[in-house]
Amino acid sequence: MKRNLIKLGMTIVLAVILTLSMAACTNSENSENTPTSQPTDSTQQPQGESTPNPDEPAWQLDTSPVDLTWFVGANWYAHTWGESFTSKYITEKTGVNVKFEVPSGEANEHITLMMTSGKLPDLISMGSWETAVKKLWEGDHVYALNELAEQYDPYFFKVAGDGTLKWYRQENGNTYGVPNDSYSPNLMHETGMTAANQTFLLRKDLYEDMGRPDLSTPEGFLGALQLLKDKYSEYKGQPISPFLAQGNVPYGMTDYLQNLLAVPHEKDGKVYDRITDPDYITWLKTFRTAYERGLINVDFLVDSDTQVEEKTNNARYFMMIREWTGMTAVNPMLAASENPDSYYIAVDGPQNSNGDSAKLFPGNMDGWMVTMISKSTKNPERAIRFLTYLTSEEGQRDLFLGKEGETWEMTNGKPQLKTEMVELLETDIEKMEKQYGILDTYWMMRNPVIVNQWRPEKAPVIKQMEDFANGQADIDSGIYKGLDPLGDSDVAVTWSRISQNWEEVLPELITAKDDAAFDKVFENFLARRESYGFDKVMEYRQSELDMRKAKMAE
Amino acid sequence: MFQYRAGQIKTFFRQWQLQSMVIPGIIWMIIFCYIPMFWLIISFMDYSIAKPLLESPFVGLKHFQDFMTDDRFWRSIRNTLGMSIIKLVLGFPIPILFALLLNEIRNFRFKRTVQSISYLPHFIAWTIFGGIMLNWLGEGGVINQLMMALGLQEREILFISDAKYFWWITYFSDTLKEAGWSAIIYIAAISGIDPALYEAAELDGANRWQRMWHITIQCIRPTIAILFILAVSGMLGSNFEQIFMLENNMNIKMAESLDLYIYNMGLVSGRHSFSTAVLFARSIVALGLLFLANYASKKLTGDSIF
């Protein structure tokens, strides 16, 4: 009897659990599917509102207060909306109050989790390379911007550059996101501003004290490191770290180093396997030799971001393969310190055996982040109008410069930042961003073509690096960005296995005891890569490249 | 039958204070442990997060076959077992020894202080404790400086980037952080022992060691057995946060545990079905281990969970 009761109880509990879980599923599916019908349903528009005019921005039609949540897919983004001068001004003007959300860890994981729950923030800005972006589009989680614009704000088509809309158009004819910092090759050729970020940096005082050694050949490179070890092994009582590669294996020691060595992306129309390039191998072996002789340590392969930052702020690196934009705050600080020559300058780094100058990666059509409007939003019409406003010249000016008369004024028909603001930019960027919120505080919709004309002249310690990068940028190479398969297709899984394996193999190569051991590890890697199905990846890259070339030709 | 049920309900209401403490736990378990089990179904599907569940095709055991042929999976099994066995063999007795030693201290204040200090690290999150470890073990860290000052090594060793140290680092750092905390349960068990037993033993001429062996250990044996069974069944789930903090590209060969593998495959690479399959298989093996440990303990000591 007792046994039967227990059995009965168990059955009931199980049945309840099953029903509950089924209900949980169907619910989430419903919530995912319902909003789809919204944009095509034009009766939803509030009554008494005039129809939007394609020649005028529609945000002026409705400036009642509304809250929009905005996910910024960068865990280091620390600005808020509503405290700074600019953000208050824009909220007053448009009625839109923004609430920023940032991921606690990785943006990709964070948004993936949000997708499973079916509840997304109103606006989403994510790195254009992140796998979740594609999933948001394919999974129908975000609105097609062209559809929303047609219905609520046709002015959008006027301000969103046709080129970028076309670049992000999907096979179904829809565009789901607007990029920031997107550069077309034509623009870069015209202006000479390439948005190239990559540089090879050296500490100026040490470099000059050493008599400006040549670092472009393996011998020169090793020689300079030897000199460093013998004569300058300490700085302010702490050991100097001879070398840093930003993002180490996946970025600094792979793509980035290959760009410094001008390793081509394609040869005779065929995608080139850059990892096997002889010059690249020679340089990896140079790093191995440096490690064997105790000239470099492996700290750059294991240090956390905080450790890197700490060393950078104390000028403890001798040389760095690093984006100059990461140094915009540090360099002025070092130049103002008691040792004013301890800042970093861009110089010629490792070069290939022909001595070609570097082919640095420029800005590109993909831009940095793409901003989307999620289907979870209750106010799609306000969201698209706000986006249109921010994309327009007026919005760009409001966001970048602030309010006329307060932070900037017209001189000779050109907006110019007030001198206090320019001073603040040089002395206290933090205060400028927190209190005024101008320049690059809110970069989510930044259009370089528009805002760069208003940018004040950069400090010389920053400009030197920027000019160097611009001079060596390979303007037409933007097309090669992100040729690798992403997502969860078979070929993408293969590629992620290979690249994760490479992350483990490269440290082994550098710490190999001699060149023979190096060769063995490398051969093993190539064989493993083959067995994972590398030829499929190459095929994918090729077809992707062919497709992009066709798009560019349009 | 009805009478019996009515009796149960009556008992339920009579014990309402106790029941109200249990029920939230049960509800929690249903929501967070049982309902999510339904999602194990995606390990048999090619689930894509962008689509509704029912649109994903069933693929049978494909993902299970996939991970069985992945050398990285086997590597992570080896690492998990390696780290767990070290922890079980060398780590499990430490809290017991600590509790026994603490029990022998007669100075009450000293005892309390030692105990408090010993369990403090437990309250520090691994994110912070891991950071401290990285500092100690890293370039210019305490350990390197000490070793160099003592002349034990010439060049700085980045312990954390040398794979061969990794298992030992996890063992030592885990013991350092958790041993004091784990001892609490033994201390509690020891304090429940009837003092009359000791007095009787003393009268019979038992010395300290004999009292410890024949009374203290014998009385806390069931506690030890239960914790041992739980430790064995948890062998495949090594401490994720700890390894996540200490792992890097240089030591991943010895560091990637099953949990980290599941995380890397699922959240990092976006292969949700695949990692769910691994998780599913791991849970089944863990369940098997639980039964095995329970059976062994029952046979050997007579103490068991069920």
Side-chain angles (χ1 to χ4, degrees), chain A residues 1 109 139 500 504 508, chain B residues 1 50 72 75 253 263 269:
Chain A
M1 178 119 169
E109 290 163 24
Q500 284 176 8
E504 292 174 28
E508 274 182 62
Chain B
M1 184 171 171
R72 227 173 123 181
R75 190 179 76 183
K253 280 206 165 55
Y263 165 82
S269 307

Side-chain angles (χ1 to χ4, degrees), chain A residues 263 267 272 274-284 353:
Chain A
V263 177
K267 272 187 176 169
Y272 183 53
R274 298 178 89 202
I275 264 179
T276 53
D277 185 83
D279 282 318
Y280 180 57
I281 308 262
T282 308
W283 273 93
L284 286 185
S353 47

Side-chain angles (χ1 to χ4, degrees), chain B residues 172-183:
Chain B
F172 281 113
S173 59
D174 187 66
T175 305
L176 202 62
K177 187 168 177 315
E178 301 295 339
W181 180 255
S182 314

Side-chain angles (χ1 to χ4, degrees), chain A residues 374-499:
Chain A
S374 87
K375 287 199 167 166
S376 304
T377 180
K378 290 196 184 75
N379 304 292
E381 81 286 359
R382 294 299 293 274
I384 183 76
R385 287 169 185 177
F386 188 55
L387 224 55
T388 306
Y389 159 72
L390 293 177
T391 319
S392 71
E393 184 152 348
E394 182 183 2
Q396 290 283 320
R397 196 182 54 213
D398 291 348
L399 211 55
F400 194 74
L401 295 175
K403 191 179 179 182
E404 184 171 8
E406 302 272 353
T407 43
W408 62 277
E409 49 204 8
M410 272 306 190
T411 28
N412 306 328
K414 208 179 156 225
Q416 202 125 44
L417 275 184
K418 285 192 164 180
T419 21
E420 308 98 271
M421 295 298 128
V422 179
E423 256 166 41
L424 216 49
L425 172 69
E426 273 159 25
T427 53
D428 196 350
I429 294 185
E430 229 167 273
K431 186 180 170 197
M432 182 198 78
E433 294 188 326
K434 211 171 170 64
Q435 202 166 327
Y436 295 97
I438 49 170
L439 296 183
D440 298 307
T441 315
Y442 305 111
W443 42 253
M444 286 74 71
M445 298 298 294
R446 181 172 60 198
N447 183 341
V449 187
I450 301 179
V451 303
N452 281 347
Q453 53 176 330
W454 301 319
R455 236 177 234 291
E457 185 79 358
K458 290 194 178 76
V461 290
I462 295 171
K463 201 157 181 340
Q464 192 271 341
M465 300 186 290
E466 187 186 22
D467 289 345
F468 205 91
N470 277 334
Q472 303 196 337
D474 181 16
I475 292 182
D476 296 309
S477 68
I479 194 170
Y480 303 110
K481 184 188 178 186
L483 283 180
D484 302 323
L486 292 177
D488 45 18
S489 61
D490 282 345
V491 63
V493 168
T494 304
W495 172 241
S496 96
R497 277 179 85 179
I498 293 171
S499 48

Side-chain angles (χ1 to χ4, degrees), chain A residues 182-200:
Chain A
S182 171
Y183 283 80
S184 71
N186 288 343
L187 178 80
M188 291 188 279
H189 279 298
E190 257 170 50
T191 60
M193 309 229 357
T194 64
N197 229 339
Q198 303 178 333
T199 37
F200 185 79

